[in-house]
Every structure is written in structure tokens, then in C-alpha cells.
Amino acid sequence: MSTIIDEFSFNHPENKGYGKWKRLRILSCDDLEYSKIEAKFNKGWKHPQKTRPKIHAIFKVLSSDSNLQPFHRYRALVISSPALRNRTKNPANEQLLFHGTNRFCGLVEDGSRVRLCSLSKCHLCSVIRNSFDVQKCGTKHKFRRFGTGIYTTACSSKADDYTLNGDESSKLRVLLVSRVIVGNPHKRRHNATDLIEPPCGHHSVIGEPGADLNYEETVVYNNDAIRPAYLIVYGSIPSTVGTKSDSSSVVCNDIGKDPNIQARKVTYLIDIDISPLFKSTMASHIPLALSLLGTLASHYPLGSMTQKAAPPPPPSVAPSAPTQSAPVLPTAPPITTPGPNPSGNANGTTGATANSNAGSSPPVINPVALCEACRLHLDFATIDLSTQMEQKCTISAAKHAPEVQADLKRKPQVAEGGGETRLLVTHKLAYRELCTRSNSEIATCQAPGCQNPPHPGGHDYCSLAHKTLGENLCLMCMQAPKMANSHFCSQPCIDDAESKGPMILEVPAGHVTFKSVADQFKASWRHVGTVSPPVRRVYKILAPPTSLASYNAYRAAVESRGQFASSGRSEGNENRRWHGTRRVCNLGDKGHTQFCSASNCSLCCIIRTSYDISLWGKKTGWGRFGKGIYTSSTSSKSNDYSHNDCKSSLKAILLNKVVVGKGCKLLQDNTSLTAPPVGYDSVLAEKGGSLNYDELVVYSNDAIRPSFLVMYDEP
């Protein structure tokens, strides 16, 4: 299968020699990429009171394939969305946008300083090394105009406002240019500080100037929607007064005028003053250096320095006697291939002359045949002494022979004995999948109906298209791709799911729905000093038709009053919010998908019949904003209310659909509320007054339904 290599990948032919420790490739001034980024920077400098600075260098930011692959997968999903289905030019609406951040090291301060630092506070090196992390939103500026997201802009002078040199010795400024998948943007002129994801049907938010903004900004809410692409070095360098300097350094704009200048290795900082004493000392050593070079050239001709020494003959190995305890490993039969006879004999037989030269060549390793059972995996060529089973692949052999399983753990090795050489092959994929999959499962692509072998390297699918299909399968039938804005592929599957409710369906770990929920959990974990624990399982909650009907009717009524959809928001201003509660049983643990009958198991009760406002106060005894159903956009806050009354290594939390409607924002407690204030549909309790983290309170059972059960490690 042919693969297009990303031009920003270490593996691209133009990036040969770059890797983990060398990520920045300087562009020459006559490079088309340099001209494109320079023009974009100049055009985007829009602040009238700020003089446009001079660009000194532009670097291309390179990354590993493992870092770039999630970006490409996300782009493929965006392209397949209904809003962009008919877009032919730039189908994912990918843009190059600016981002300013802080730099606490001397990275790219001159042409030789291209090694990333390890300072945790140096956001520049962190972004270049690992890309962006939406969880770090707000660590520098607490105000988030469009919520928790990754902020970029087409205005270079605006991004410049966010650059910071923490190292006082740094004289220049740096700006990142990133590839951003804008997709179908939601355009706003007014602030929306509570956003944690774009409105339904959109992939990003674009803040347009005119109301709350003077200059445009684009916000994405998914780490995979953005990757750093270029690094611009710019600014004014203070000149040295009263000193005479040599032109030992070259400004990038002079590249191309002098053919002796190597553009890609240019030093672009200020001219360096070399003292006369140093010049004279260096000049006095030049004749001595030339003399030494001449001596070396006369004693060591060029040919002798370039020829490789012949490898020493391999040591002779005496054949070892076989032991009774170890199983015998039969040698795979050699494969005869046409070609020149290495012994020099016309008939191909081995004579005395041939044997005399045998020590000068390495031993020939007999190739190992394919498994006769599956014809795909390498045969381990092992006999199970108990069943005399041979010529089976590593998986089937290991199921019957414990000694083979032990061999699988060893690294590939060459074993010699009896004058013959055998190659023991470790099939890494087979060992990893041992006892979890059969031969047929590993041998074929995991996409429904596909019988092609998977892509080499331990992959489950034969192609990116089938991988995308597998990540977007219907959660009910797991055969066809799901419809847009739905978890199911068709109306029959929707009807089937509703008829079986209440129940929970486990979402595969590689599914886009799993990633969406897990990403929201991680991004909304905001408690300072704590780290978001990993999400282990996600279950889709299926409610019965009667429960869904009452919720949909309530949402429609709120929408008719507020007309939220017409302003670009979801119907009824529906949002996803977290709720933590008590779990008495092991629902959600591996293999546990049945509800318990305990009346004090709040988790099972909520999933089975949804929320009941009449049960308010039974757990805490009071409510900061009265008698209502409490949720939060902060997963770490809801985690405080999640409790296990059972033995489990995991905790449970619910992600709910909540009809927010028109929310009344409050900063101080109001414990007497039994309904939202007149003219409102909910209460939005904001942090800053009596709260450290937000709360959303609704006062109707039909305003909320549990949507996902999320299982995660104990923090």
C-alpha cells in the first residue's frame, strides 16, 4: 500500500538527517516556502501603531509520524462531515495561522541554537516537541474569550502580543505558524467563555472583529486539529555603538547575493566583533594546521582511507551435544535460488577449494518458511513434544506448547549447531495478541466484510479508509458507518437501540465517540495540582422511547422560546455536562453491563430512569442554588461527587445531555430556588463568587438525560 509522506515528517526525503533531537530545518530566502510565510506574516501585520519588524529567519518544524498521524485522521473525519462533503478545494479548510507563546531559552536566537530545552515553563519548546495541549488553555491568560480551546489568528501582529521572552539575553522574537483544520467554523462577534467544544455541526469557532474583538482569532477544541509548521524569527537587533565589527554573520535577506554563503547554515544574528589579538593568534596557527594536513595526505593516500577493511573470519563453533531437556528445533529446508555460485565450481558442488574460503564469508542463514496454517505469519519451526505439532505459526503453536511461549519472549537470535545455522523469528504481533485473537482475526483487516491482510507493523486495518470506517461504525450493528450527528447507521438501528433501552453499549476504544468523550473529560479536568486520570471505558446509554420523547418535547419547547438554532447554537442550547454520583455495584467494570436492583445505587437508578428532582438533598442535604439537578462542565468537580460503595479500581461519572436554554448567571448562593428566575430556563453558577468551579442547575426532570457512562482510574 503506497503511503504519502507528510512534508513535515522526519521521514520525508527532504528532511533526511532530522529527527527527535533535530526538529528545526532552516529555510533559505529563495525558498518558495520562505516567501509564502514571509508574505503571510507581512500581510497579517495589521496593528497601525506597531511597526512591522524584520524577519531574520524562518524554520520548518518537523515531527514524527506518530505525532502527525492523529492530525491526518482528524482531517479525514472532518472531510467526511456533511457540511464539507461538497467542498473540493481544500476540503478540510486547513489554514496556516499564527500563535504566540513564551520562550524561556535561547532557541533560534542564532543559527546554531536549534536544540529544544527541557524547561516546563518554556511553552515554545513544548509545543514544537509535543504539539498543542488544550488542557493548558488558561495557564498564561485566565480570560478565555471563546472558552477552553487552542487560540490562533491570521493577524501576525495580534499573535505578537502573546509572545514573551523569559530569557533576558534574548533580543529577537519568535512566532509559530501552525496548520489548523478549521473545517466548518462557527462565526461569532460576541464572547462565549463557557465553550469547551464548538457548537454542534461545527469544527471550530472564528471570532470576527466588530463587537468584542478588534482582530480575528480562530479557536479549535481538539488537540488533533492543529500541528506546528513553521517558526518565524523576527525583531529589531540593537546595534553596538563605538565598535568595529567584521561581517562574520549574515542577515537572511543577503542570502543569494553571495554564492559562497550556504543558505541553510546561515547565522543570522548581529555582526560579531573579533578582536585584533584573537585575529593575530588565529592567523599564526594557520601555517601549522596546513603543514599537519600535508603530512597526513602524504602518509595516508585517499584510497586507503576510503576502503573498508575486510571483516575478520567468524570464530569456529564446535557443535554442541543436544540435551534431553530442551525441545529439538528442526531446521527449515534451504530455498534454492538461481545466481552465481559462490564456490566457483561450475556444477555447484562444494570442493576443497570452496571449503578453504568458507571462513572468509559469514554463514548463510536459512530462510524460515511461512506457516502452513495461515500462510501469512512466519513459521516458528518448533515441535511440540506432547503433540508432535510442527509447521504452525507462533499463535497456534504457543497455545499448545508452553516452551514456545517462552521462546516468543526472547529477542530474535541466530543459533548455530551441527554445522547448520537457524534463524529463530519472534513474531511480535503474535505475542502481543496471544490468547486474545485467533489466527483468522489477525490475518484479516478488522473492517466489516474485508478479507485483506492488515497493513504491516501491527495494524488492525488494511488501509486508512478502512481504519476511518472502523472508527466510525454504528454502535448498534457495528457493520455500517454511522450517520452524521448520530451514533447509529440507519433508522432500523435507531429503533432497535431504543426498543432495547434502558441499557448500556460499550464504545470501542478506537472509536471517534470514545475519543470525543475522553478528550472532553481530559480537557475539562481543571483542579490545580491534579492530573486528569486516563479514561478506561466509555458506554453509550440507551434510554427507552418514552423517556426520550419527554426530553425531546421539553427541548423543542425551550427552542421555540429562545430560537437558539437560528443563532448558530444547538437546539434548545443543548450542552454536555458532568455529574458524579454513588455506585454500589460494579456496573461499568469489565464485563459488568447489567443494572443492579439496589435502591441506594444512584448510578443504576439514573441510567435506568434518568434523574428525579424529588430525590434532591438526600446526599448533601442542601443545594447552593436550591432544589435542582446539578451538573458541571468541569469533570474534576464532578469527580468529587463520584463515590464507590463497592470494590473497584475504577470510578464512574456520567456525561449528560442538558437543555440549558437561556441561563441565568449567578455568582452568589441562592438556596431558596425551586425554579429558574423568571424568563430563564436554568441557572449558570459561575466561579468567582462563592464557587471555585462552575455549576449548571436545571429544575425539570425533562431538561436532562444521561448520555454516557465513563469509567476512569482513581485520581
Side-chain angles (χ1 to χ4, degrees):
M1 183 177 65
S2 61
T3 304
I4 299 176
I5 302 177
D6 193 308
E7 64 173 300
F8 294 87
S9 168
F10 295 147
N11 294 326
H12 194 276
E14 290 187 0
N15 304 329
K16 188 176 181 180
Y18 290 84
K20 180 179 180 181
W21 305 110
K22 191 178 179 183
R23 296 173 178 266
L24 300 177
R25 178 164 70 84
I26 194 168
L27 301 177
S28 64
C29 292
D30 56 356
D31 196 308
L32 292 178
E33 286 183 274
Y34 185 102
S35 302
K36 178 179 69 172
I37 301 303
E38 181 184 40
K40 192 171 188 66
F41 178 86
N42 293 338
K43 182 180 179 181
W45 198 271
K46 299 177 181 178
H47 283 56
Q49 74 278 14
K50 295 170 66 175
T51 303
R52 190 177 69 201
K54 183 178 183 179
I55 292 179
H56 295 275
I58 298 177
F59 290 85
K60 194 167 187 175
V61 179
L62 307 178
S63 302
S64 63
D65 284 340
S66 60
N67 179 274
L68 294 171
Q69 285 169 358
F71 176 77
H72 289 290
R73 286 196 294 266
Y74 180 80
R75 178 166 54 188
L77 292 176
V78 170
I79 292 174
S80 65
S81 63
L84 301 175
R85 192 164 291 165
N86 297 324
R87 186 184 176 106
T88 55
K89 186 178 180 181
N90 190 10
N93 193 14
E94 183 177 326
Q95 305 291 335
L96 287 174
L97 299 173
F98 298 100
H99 178 87
T101 188
N102 59 33
R103 176 181 58 152
F104 277 84
C105 64
L107 184 71
V108 299
E109 191 66 19
D110 60 55
S112 63
R113 303 172 72 176
V114 293
R115 186 77 173 264
L116 305 184
C117 76
S118 58
L119 298 173
S120 59
K121 60 182 178 180
C122 185
H123 293 173
L124 176 67
C125 289
S126 177
V127 169
I128 293 175
R129 183 183 292 110
N130 302 314
S131 189
F132 295 85
D133 185 357
V134 72
Q135 195 173 10
K136 295 182 179 179
C137 174
T139 55
K140 184 177 179 182
H141 299 279
K142 298 301 180 183
F143 176 69
R144 291 166 282 195
R145 191 179 300 277
F146 299 111
T148 304
I150 302 169
Y151 287 70
T152 61
T153 178
C155 179
S156 54
S157 55
K158 177 183 177 71
D160 172 72
D161 290 341
Y162 295 88
T163 62
L164 171 68
N165 280 336
D167 187 346
E168 295 181 356
S169 64
S170 298
K171 306 302 180 184
L172 298 175
R173 300 172 74 82
V174 292
L175 204 60
L176 283 166
V177 184
S178 300
R179 295 190 288 174
V180 184
I181 298 176
V182 180
N184 181 31
H186 171 65
K187 298 182 178 181
R188 297 186 61 92
R189 291 179 178 270
H190 296 280
N191 299 345
T193 58
D194 60 340
L195 287 177
I196 57 173
E197 60 182 357
C200 185
H202 299 275
H203 305 102
S204 60
V205 169
I206 293 181
E208 295 184 323
D212 293 336
L213 277 171
N214 293 322
Y215 300 96
E216 175 272 343
E217 60 186 23
T218 300
V219 188
V220 292
Y221 300 84
N222 190 314
N223 291 340
D224 296 336
I226 182 172
R227 287 295 182 271
Y230 300 95
L231 183 64
I232 302 176
V233 185
Y234 64 100
S236 301
I237 305 171
S239 58
T240 305
V241 181
T243 59
K244 184 179 179 180
S245 62
D246 291 333
S247 297
S248 302
S249 299
V250 183
V251 176
C252 198
N253 290 338
D254 295 329
I255 298 176
K257 298 177 182 178
D258 187 348
N260 296 321
I261 298 175
Q262 295 185 16
R264 294 189 181 276
K265 297 183 179 180
V266 64
T267 301
Y268 46 81
L269 261 185
I270 57 176
D271 296 342
I272 302 174
D273 182 25
I274 304 177
S275 66
L277 176 62
F278 179 76
K279 290 180 184 178
S280 61
T281 304
M282 183 173 65
S284 65
H285 285 79
I286 291 177
L288 176 60
L290 292 175
S291 175
L292 289 173
L293 288 173
T295 304
L296 286 171
S298 62
H299 284 77
Y300 301 98
L302 181 61
S304 65
M305 297 177 67
T306 57
Q307 291 177 354
K308 293 184 178 179
S316 59
V317 179
S320 57
T323 60
Q324 296 295 327
S325 59
V328 180
L329 298 179
T331 305
I335 297 177
T336 304
T337 56
N341 181 13
S343 66
N345 296 341
N347 58 4
T349 59
T350 304
T353 305
N355 285 335
S356 65
N357 296 330
S360 62
S361 302
V364 178
I365 298 176
N366 290 332
V368 181
L370 290 177
C371 167
E372 290 185 351
C374 65
R375 305 306 300 170
L376 285 173
H377 304 138
L378 293 175
D379 171 38
F380 203 69
T382 303
I383 293 179
D384 179 3
L385 297 179
S386 61
T387 62
Q388 293 299 310
M389 179 187 66
E390 63 179 304
Q391 296 297 318
K392 300 294 182 184
C393 72
T394 51
I395 302 175
S396 55
K399 287 182 178 179
H400 298 280
E403 60 269 25
V404 178
Q405 188 168 352
D407 281 337
L408 281 169
K409 297 180 182 179
R410 303 193 189 114
K411 295 181 179 179
Q413 55 184 308
V414 174
E416 296 181 336
E420 296 176 334
T421 304
R422 298 190 298 271
L423 179 64
L424 306 183
V425 179
T426 299
H427 197 291
K428 295 181 181 179
L429 174 62
Y431 182 69
R432 186 169 68 248
E433 301 289 350
L434 187 64
C435 302
T436 60
R437 290 187 180 181
S438 65
N439 283 333
S440 60
E441 288 176 321
I442 293 182
T444 59
C445 171
Q446 296 301 293
C450 180
Q451 298 299 318
N452 294 328
H455 190 64
H459 299 283
D460 290 330
Y461 300 92
C462 66
S463 64
L464 181 60
H466 275 191
K467 188 175 188 301
T468 302
L469 171 63
E471 293 172 343
N472 288 271
L473 285 176
C474 169
L475 293 181
M476 196 65 196
C477 67
M478 296 300 291
Q479 294 296 316
K482 68 183 186 67
M483 298 184 294
N485 301 323
S486 174
H487 299 291
F488 309 105
C489 63
S490 60
Q491 191 60 44
C493 273
I494 294 176
D495 296 338
D496 189 24
E498 291 180 356
S499 66
K500 293 180 178 178
M503 67 176 295
I504 58 175
L505 287 176
E506 185 166 5
V507 181
H511 201 277
V512 292
T513 301
F514 186 103
K515 180 172 176 55
S516 171
V517 173
D519 284 354
Q520 182 174 345
F521 180 88
K522 181 180 179 181
S524 60
W525 191 276
R526 302 187 180 105
H527 277 53
V528 179
T530 64
V531 178
S532 171
V535 172
R536 298 301 182 185
R537 291 184 180 84
V538 174
Y539 297 86
K540 174 59 185 168
I541 298 173
L542 303 180
T546 54
S547 177
L548 288 175
S550 57
Y551 173 80
N552 291 337
Y554 178 86
R555 182 178 60 186
V558 172
E559 172 62 23
S560 65
R561 293 195 301 267
Q563 299 295 311
F564 301 99
S566 61
S567 61
R569 287 184 280 183
S570 57
E571 182 182 0
N573 193 16
E574 183 186 76
N575 283 271
R576 300 200 307 196
R577 291 293 183 266
W578 302 101
H579 179 87
T581 190
R582 174 189 296 174
R583 179 173 64 137
V584 173
C585 64
N586 288 99
L587 183 73
D589 288 348
K590 185 177 181 180
H592 294 267
T593 57
Q594 299 299 316
F595 309 127
C596 73
S597 57
S599 60
N600 62 338
C601 185
S602 301
L603 181 67
C604 286
C605 291
I606 291 173
I607 295 176
R608 187 187 294 111
T609 61
S610 190
Y611 294 85
D612 187 356
I613 202 169
S614 66
L615 301 175
W616 170 84
K618 284 193 173 183
K619 184 176 181 181
T620 60
W622 79 296
R624 193 180 297 275
F625 300 98
K627 187 177 181 179
I629 302 170
Y630 288 69
T631 59
S632 175
S633 69
T634 304
S635 57
S636 52
K637 177 182 177 71
S638 297
N639 166 70
D640 292 339
Y641 296 88
S642 173
H643 299 288
N644 280 339
D645 287 345
C646 61
K647 290 184 178 180
S648 176
S649 61
L650 301 178
K651 293 189 70 175
I653 194 172
L654 291 168
L655 184 59
N656 308 273
K657 298 187 298 181
V658 186
V659 179
V660 180
K662 185 179 180 181
C664 178
K665 296 182 179 180
L666 298 178
L667 291 174
Q668 301 299 328
D669 297 353
N670 190 343
T671 58
S672 62
L673 287 175
T674 58
V678 177
Y680 295 92
D681 305 298
S682 61
V683 166
L684 297 173
E686 297 185 326
K687 65 178 183 178
S690 57
L691 279 173
N692 294 322
Y693 300 94
D694 71 282
E695 289 182 348
L696 167 63
V697 190
V698 292
Y699 299 84
S700 170
N701 290 341
D702 292 330
I704 182 172
R705 288 294 181 270
S707 186
F708 294 98
L709 170 62
V710 181
M711 309 301 297
Y712 59 100
D713 286 351
E714 183 86 25

